[in-house]
């Protein structure tokens, strides 16, 4: 076999590998996103097919890549967001207020992840708030401050050292049968309150 033919097959193999890897990454990225917007809650998205016996190839690939949503829907339902109520990308240079109330599940947890998918690398001990530690008002509602500093808040998620942007993941464990069957829960609302020292409009 000539050197030219060997080079041709070698380059063809490299191109095939590159295309295969590229399409696999694309299939599990937000560009081909198997998540759906939660009705009435535009900032939150979920994978309604996760935890079922008939997930699509994209849901299976996404779960394999990120290691999320391995439990069945009767055990846990997950919600994610990268945006506030107005659809603006969550930015570490801004502060936010999350308001909510009891969720239809045995317990829940809201976790903030840095833009690399890991917990923020800081010593604030404020990367999650959940039903076991949230400080609620007498009427059962609660507020969570999201920002680089606590700013006097009782409930706080720290964005310090999380990179330019961050992700919020809400996990609801042992949800009610109505939610499992498709009822939309009353999810928390995320409002931007200030950005780079200026009052948010």
């Amino acid at each position: 076999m000539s050197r030219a033919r060997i080079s041709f097959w070698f380059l063809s193999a490299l191109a095939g590998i590159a295309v295969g890897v590229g399409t696999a990454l694309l299939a599990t990225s937000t560009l081909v996103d198997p998540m759906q917007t939660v009705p009435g809650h535009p900032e939150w998205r979920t994978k309604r097919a996760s935890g079922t016996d008939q997930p699509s190839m994209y849901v299976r690939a996404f779960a394999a890549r990120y290691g999320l949503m391995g439990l069945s829907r009767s055990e846990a339902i997950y919600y994610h967001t990268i945006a506030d109520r107005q659809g603006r990308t969550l930015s570490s240079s801004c502060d936010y207020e999350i308001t909510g109330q009891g969720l239809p599940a045995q317990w829940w947890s809201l976790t903030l992840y840095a833009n690399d998918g890991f917990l923020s690398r800081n010593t604030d001990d404020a990367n999650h708030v959940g039903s076991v530690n949230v400080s609620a008002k007498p009427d059962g509602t609660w507020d969570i401050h999201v920002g680089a500093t606590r700013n006097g808040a009782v409930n706080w998620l720290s964005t310090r050292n999380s990179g330019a942007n961050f992700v919020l993941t809400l996990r609801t464990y042992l949800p009610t049968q109505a939610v499992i069957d498709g009822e939309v829960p009353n999810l928390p609302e995320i409002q931007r309150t200030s950005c780079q020292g200026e009052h948010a409009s």
Side-chain angles (χ1 to χ4, degrees):
M1 185 178 294
S2 68
R3 181 174 297 178
R5 184 173 292 273
I6 293 174
S7 297
F8 171 78
W9 287 113
F10 178 73
L11 292 174
S12 297
L14 286 179
I17 292 172
V19 170
V21 171
T23 53
L25 291 175
L26 177 63
T28 57
S29 72
T30 55
L31 296 179
V32 181
D33 191 356
M35 304 182 83
Q36 299 88 31
T37 300
V38 179
H41 301 277
E43 67 265 52
W44 292 105
R45 296 172 68 78
T46 189
K47 289 182 172 62
R48 286 190 285 271
S50 66
T52 68
D53 58 358
Q54 294 181 333
S56 71
M57 60 180 288
Y58 293 121
V59 171
R60 292 195 299 269
F62 193 97
R65 178 178 178 186
Y66 294 103
L68 295 173
M69 294 161 289
L71 299 176
S72 68
R73 285 183 61 82
S74 63
E75 295 173 302
I77 298 179
Y78 306 80
Y79 304 91
H80 307 269
T81 184
I82 59 171
D84 64 12
R85 184 75 174 176
Q86 286 69 42
R88 298 170 295 198
T89 301
L90 297 174
S91 170
S92 298
S93 64
C94 301
D95 284 7
Y96 301 86
E97 192 80 5
I98 302 177
T99 57
Q101 56 188 323
L103 293 164
Q106 288 294 312
W107 63 284
W108 57 269
S109 177
L110 180 62
T111 305
L112 186 148
Y113 292 97
N115 60 1
D116 61 0
F118 294 92
L119 296 176
S120 301
R121 294 172 178 82
N122 60 53
T123 57
D124 295 332
D125 192 27
N127 51 42
H128 75 279
V129 175
S131 53
V132 297
N133 67 343
V134 70
S135 181
K137 301 173 185 177
D139 63 358
T141 62
W142 43 258
D143 302 314
I144 300 173
H145 172 67
V146 182
T149 60
R150 180 181 288 274
N151 199 28
V154 176
N155 303 308
W156 175 41
L157 289 173
S158 173
T159 60
R160 191 164 64 88
N161 295 338
S162 63
N165 305 106
F166 60 91
V167 178
L168 293 171
T169 296
L170 175 65
R171 296 173 173 87
T172 58
Y173 294 95
L174 298 178
T176 62
Q177 188 61 48
V179 175
I180 295 172
D181 293 339
E183 180 180 286
V184 178
N186 189 18
L187 297 177
E189 292 189 4
I190 305 167
Q191 297 285 352
R192 194 171 79 181
T193 57
S194 63
C195 199
Q196 296 180 337
E198 297 181 1
H199 183 71
S201 58

